[in-house]
Amino acid sequence: MNTLTDGPKPLRLGNREAKIPIIQGGMGVGISLSGLSSAVAEEGGVGVIATAGIGFLEPDVYKNFLPANRRALEKEIRKARNRTTGILGVNIMVALSNYADIVETSSREKIDVIFSGAGLPLHLPGFFDLKEDHPALVPIVSSGKAASIIARQWQRKYDYIPDAVVVEGPMAGGHLGFKLEQIEDPAFALERLVPEVIEGLAGFRTRDGGPIPVIAAGGIYTGGDMYRIMKRHGAAGVQMATRFVATHECDASDKFKDSYLKATERDLRIIVSPVGMPGRAIDGDFLQRVDRGEKQPYTCPYHCLIPCDYTNTPYCIALALINAQKGMLSKGFSFAGSNAYRVDKIVSVHELVESLMAEYAEAAAGEAGK
Ligand SMILES: Cc1cc2nc3c(=O)[nH]c(=O)nc-3n(C[C@H](O)[C@H](O)[C@H](O)COP(=O)(O)O)c2cc1C
């Protein structure tokens, strides 16, 4: 086995190129900030700062929602930049009430890539000149149809084609773009979705004339998984999140990481989040109290997510997630991908990437030797 010749090809995102085709998935409310993202970028992957709830790091978030979020994001991007010259992105949920403000701040801070999902990013805010240097723009979708609708709309309205598309399948952590009954349905498995998205984007070409790179997310755990989704199903790279939680550099508290170490397969469950979407999380007291109908009363001074009807939801998702991030798991819960129960130790990002690359090369050598 030769890790150099059997390794994966670099990943092109607009005019940037990641040496290894691994994107660290954005993990909201403080799980992926400057610490994790800069470590991944330093290893040659794409490190992503999640912007959802980033303002919770600031003491005045309740009074000054917009400026607190903007300030926290500026600080995290600058901290990450000081640690790496690698590729850094932000993850911005379309459902955020401060979506446009966060896009503008990220672009002003010269972020390399903007990933946007949790809703269809059909409109590009007019903060950057699409003919000049600007962040690469990468929508996150859960179907071939959504991918082609976005590409068609951007081409027609902005004369612009997405620089890549992430397709997130139902085994991912956090909010899922599927109906409850689709989550276990093999018709929605990632291995089916990737070729469907490639097909949906077949008529489009990026600025350099190539096909739009399609990146697979949700349940990719080993370098072997990465090899199979790329070589057999045509993905240009992968987005992984759960594995990156179990690293020293992940920005969550040790107690949050412990919840992954302790989780068994049966603890991973689907919730219906207050924003009306299903989500995958680790079960615990908090979620069981919600199941029993014990509402957690709260007030909402900032309205962070557009689809959240706070007058009718049992708890504040932003607060529950920030409590978990800080380690107060009796007052919140951890989002996690379907493979979180397989996590059995905390390693460095360097060790993780090295083992993924070795497993990838091993799978490639195994296939070549058949
Ligand atoms: C703790 C956690 C938080 C997440 N937060 C976000 C988020 O804020 N925005 C988003 O688009 N995806 C979010 N995701 C999804 C990931 O970015 C990623 O696409 C997905 O989890 C990949 O599957 P994997 O965890 O099996 O690798 C989150 C996932 C986890 C585990």
Short mmCIF file of all heavy atoms in Angstrom, two decimals, residues 25-28 52 91 93 140 168 171-174 217-220 239-242 256 260 335-337, ligand 1:
data_model
loop_
_atom_site.label_atom_id
_atom_site.label_comp_id
_atom_site.label_asym_id
_atom_site.label_seq_id
_atom_site.Cartn_x
_atom_site.Cartn_y
_atom_site.Cartn_z
N GLY A 25 -17.90 19.07 8.88
CA GLY A 25 -19.23 19.65 8.86
C GLY A 25 -19.40 20.70 9.94
O GLY A 25 -18.93 20.52 11.07
N GLY A 26 -20.06 21.80 9.61
CA GLY A 26 -20.35 22.84 10.59
C GLY A 26 -21.24 22.28 11.68
O GLY A 26 -22.19 21.56 11.39
N MET A 27 -20.91 22.54 12.95
CA MET A 27 -21.72 22.05 14.07
C MET A 27 -22.08 23.21 14.96
O MET A 27 -21.24 23.80 15.64
CB MET A 27 -20.97 20.97 14.83
CG MET A 27 -20.83 19.70 14.00
SD MET A 27 -19.93 18.41 14.88
CE MET A 27 -18.25 18.85 14.52
N GLY A 28 -23.39 23.52 14.92
CA GLY A 28 -23.89 24.75 15.49
C GLY A 28 -23.88 24.81 17.00
O GLY A 28 -23.68 23.80 17.69
N ALA A 52 -24.61 29.14 13.55
CA ALA A 52 -25.87 29.08 14.30
C ALA A 52 -25.56 29.25 15.79
O ALA A 52 -24.76 28.51 16.34
CB ALA A 52 -26.57 27.75 14.05
N ASN A 91 -20.62 27.74 8.11
CA ASN A 91 -21.89 27.07 7.83
C ASN A 91 -22.98 28.01 8.29
O ASN A 91 -23.02 28.42 9.46
CB ASN A 91 -21.92 25.74 8.60
CG ASN A 91 -23.28 25.06 8.48
OD1 ASN A 91 -24.27 25.54 8.99
ND2 ASN A 91 -23.31 23.91 7.82
N MET A 93 -27.09 28.50 8.34
CA MET A 93 -28.40 27.93 8.06
C MET A 93 -29.30 29.00 7.44
O MET A 93 -29.38 30.12 7.96
CB MET A 93 -29.03 27.40 9.36
CG MET A 93 -28.28 26.21 9.94
SD MET A 93 -28.76 25.86 11.65
CE MET A 93 -30.42 25.25 11.40
N ILE A 140 -26.10 23.08 0.74
CA ILE A 140 -26.25 21.73 1.31
C ILE A 140 -27.68 21.29 1.00
O ILE A 140 -28.64 22.02 1.33
CB ILE A 140 -26.03 21.73 2.84
CG1 ILE A 140 -24.67 22.32 3.17
CG2 ILE A 140 -26.18 20.32 3.41
CD1 ILE A 140 -24.43 22.53 4.67
N GLU A 168 -26.51 15.82 2.03
CA GLU A 168 -26.51 15.25 3.38
C GLU A 168 -27.63 14.23 3.50
O GLU A 168 -28.81 14.57 3.35
CB GLU A 168 -26.68 16.38 4.40
CG GLU A 168 -26.37 15.93 5.80
CD GLU A 168 -26.70 17.00 6.82
OE1 GLU A 168 -27.89 17.17 7.12
OE2 GLU A 168 -25.77 17.66 7.30
N MET A 171 -28.46 9.81 7.76
CA MET A 171 -27.70 9.28 8.89
C MET A 171 -26.88 10.37 9.60
O MET A 171 -26.14 10.11 10.55
CB MET A 171 -26.75 8.15 8.45
CG MET A 171 -27.48 6.93 7.94
SD MET A 171 -28.61 6.30 9.21
CE MET A 171 -30.08 5.96 8.26
N ALA A 172 -27.03 11.61 9.14
CA ALA A 172 -26.28 12.73 9.70
C ALA A 172 -26.75 13.06 11.11
O ALA A 172 -27.76 12.53 11.59
CB ALA A 172 -26.46 13.96 8.80
N GLY A 173 -26.01 13.95 11.77
CA GLY A 173 -26.43 14.48 13.07
C GLY A 173 -27.09 15.82 12.88
O GLY A 173 -26.99 16.43 11.82
N GLY A 174 -27.75 16.29 13.91
CA GLY A 174 -28.40 17.60 13.84
C GLY A 174 -29.70 17.52 13.06
O GLY A 174 -30.27 16.43 12.87
N ALA A 217 -22.34 13.53 2.68
CA ALA A 217 -22.33 13.70 4.15
C ALA A 217 -23.39 12.83 4.80
O ALA A 217 -24.44 12.56 4.22
CB ALA A 217 -22.61 15.17 4.48
N GLY A 218 -23.09 12.42 6.04
CA GLY A 218 -24.09 11.67 6.82
C GLY A 218 -23.73 10.22 6.96
O GLY A 218 -24.00 9.42 6.06
N GLY A 219 -23.07 9.87 8.07
CA GLY A 219 -22.75 8.46 8.34
C GLY A 219 -21.42 8.00 7.79
O GLY A 219 -21.10 6.81 7.89
N ILE A 220 -20.62 8.90 7.21
CA ILE A 220 -19.27 8.50 6.77
C ILE A 220 -18.41 8.44 8.02
O ILE A 220 -18.24 9.44 8.72
CB ILE A 220 -18.68 9.54 5.78
CG1 ILE A 220 -19.60 9.77 4.58
CG2 ILE A 220 -17.26 9.12 5.34
CD1 ILE A 220 -19.75 8.63 3.63
N GLN A 239 -18.17 15.13 3.70
CA GLN A 239 -18.30 16.05 4.84
C GLN A 239 -18.56 15.17 6.06
O GLN A 239 -19.46 14.34 6.05
CB GLN A 239 -19.44 17.04 4.62
CG GLN A 239 -19.71 17.88 5.87
CD GLN A 239 -20.63 19.05 5.60
OE1 GLN A 239 -20.27 19.96 4.86
NE2 GLN A 239 -21.81 19.05 6.20
N MET A 240 -17.74 15.34 7.09
CA MET A 240 -17.88 14.53 8.30
C MET A 240 -17.98 15.44 9.53
O MET A 240 -17.25 16.43 9.61
CB MET A 240 -16.64 13.63 8.47
CG MET A 240 -16.43 12.69 7.30
SD MET A 240 -14.84 11.84 7.39
CE MET A 240 -15.14 10.74 8.76
N ALA A 241 -18.84 15.05 10.46
CA ALA A 241 -18.99 15.88 11.66
C ALA A 241 -18.80 15.06 12.94
O ALA A 241 -17.94 15.38 13.77
CB ALA A 241 -20.36 16.54 11.65
N THR A 242 -19.56 13.96 13.07
CA THR A 242 -19.51 13.15 14.29
C THR A 242 -18.08 12.79 14.69
O THR A 242 -17.70 12.90 15.85
CB THR A 242 -20.38 11.89 14.08
OG1 THR A 242 -21.72 12.34 13.92
CG2 THR A 242 -20.29 10.92 15.23
N PHE A 256 -19.63 17.24 26.90
CA PHE A 256 -20.32 17.02 25.62
C PHE A 256 -19.65 15.85 24.89
O PHE A 256 -20.31 14.93 24.41
CB PHE A 256 -20.26 18.29 24.77
CG PHE A 256 -21.06 18.20 23.49
CD1 PHE A 256 -22.34 18.72 23.41
CD2 PHE A 256 -20.53 17.60 22.34
CE1 PHE A 256 -23.09 18.64 22.23
CE2 PHE A 256 -21.26 17.51 21.16
CZ PHE A 256 -22.54 18.04 21.11
N TYR A 260 -20.74 11.40 23.80
CA TYR A 260 -20.50 10.54 22.64
C TYR A 260 -19.83 9.23 23.09
O TYR A 260 -20.15 8.16 22.61
CB TYR A 260 -19.58 11.25 21.63
CG TYR A 260 -20.29 12.18 20.67
CD1 TYR A 260 -21.19 13.14 21.13
CD2 TYR A 260 -20.03 12.12 19.31
CE1 TYR A 260 -21.82 14.00 20.23
CE2 TYR A 260 -20.66 12.98 18.40
CZ TYR A 260 -21.55 13.92 18.88
OH TYR A 260 -22.18 14.77 18.01
N PHE A 335 -26.66 16.91 19.86
CA PHE A 335 -26.93 16.41 18.51
C PHE A 335 -25.78 15.45 18.16
O PHE A 335 -24.63 15.67 18.60
CB PHE A 335 -26.94 17.56 17.50
CG PHE A 335 -28.29 18.17 17.25
CD1 PHE A 335 -28.40 19.52 16.90
CD2 PHE A 335 -29.46 17.41 17.33
CE1 PHE A 335 -29.64 20.09 16.64
CE2 PHE A 335 -30.70 17.98 17.05
CZ PHE A 335 -30.79 19.31 16.72
N ALA A 336 -26.07 14.41 17.38
CA ALA A 336 -25.01 13.45 17.01
C ALA A 336 -25.45 12.66 15.79
O ALA A 336 -26.65 12.41 15.60
CB ALA A 336 -24.76 12.49 18.17
N GLY A 337 -24.48 12.23 14.98
CA GLY A 337 -24.78 11.39 13.82
C GLY A 337 -25.05 9.95 14.24
O GLY A 337 -24.74 9.56 15.38
C1 LIG B 1 -23.41 18.27 16.97
C2 LIG B 1 -23.82 18.54 15.55
C3 LIG B 1 -24.25 19.82 15.20
C4 LIG B 1 -24.58 20.11 13.85
N1 LIG B 1 -24.92 21.38 13.52
C5 LIG B 1 -25.15 21.70 12.21
C6 LIG B 1 -25.39 23.06 11.82
O1 LIG B 1 -25.39 23.98 12.63
N2 LIG B 1 -25.63 23.30 10.49
C7 LIG B 1 -25.62 22.30 9.56
O2 LIG B 1 -25.83 22.57 8.35
N3 LIG B 1 -25.37 21.01 9.90
C8 LIG B 1 -25.12 20.70 11.19
N4 LIG B 1 -24.81 19.40 11.53
C9 LIG B 1 -24.64 18.39 10.45
C10 LIG B 1 -23.15 18.21 10.09
O3 LIG B 1 -22.58 19.40 9.61
C11 LIG B 1 -22.87 17.09 9.08
O4 LIG B 1 -23.30 17.39 7.78
C12 LIG B 1 -23.43 15.73 9.43
O5 LIG B 1 -23.52 15.51 10.81
C13 LIG B 1 -22.55 14.65 8.77
O6 LIG B 1 -22.82 13.39 9.25
P1 LIG B 1 -21.86 12.65 10.33
O7 LIG B 1 -22.04 13.39 11.61
O8 LIG B 1 -22.39 11.26 10.36
O9 LIG B 1 -20.43 12.71 9.84
C14 LIG B 1 -24.51 19.08 12.87
C15 LIG B 1 -24.10 17.79 13.26
C16 LIG B 1 -23.75 17.52 14.56
C17 LIG B 1 -23.28 16.13 14.94
#
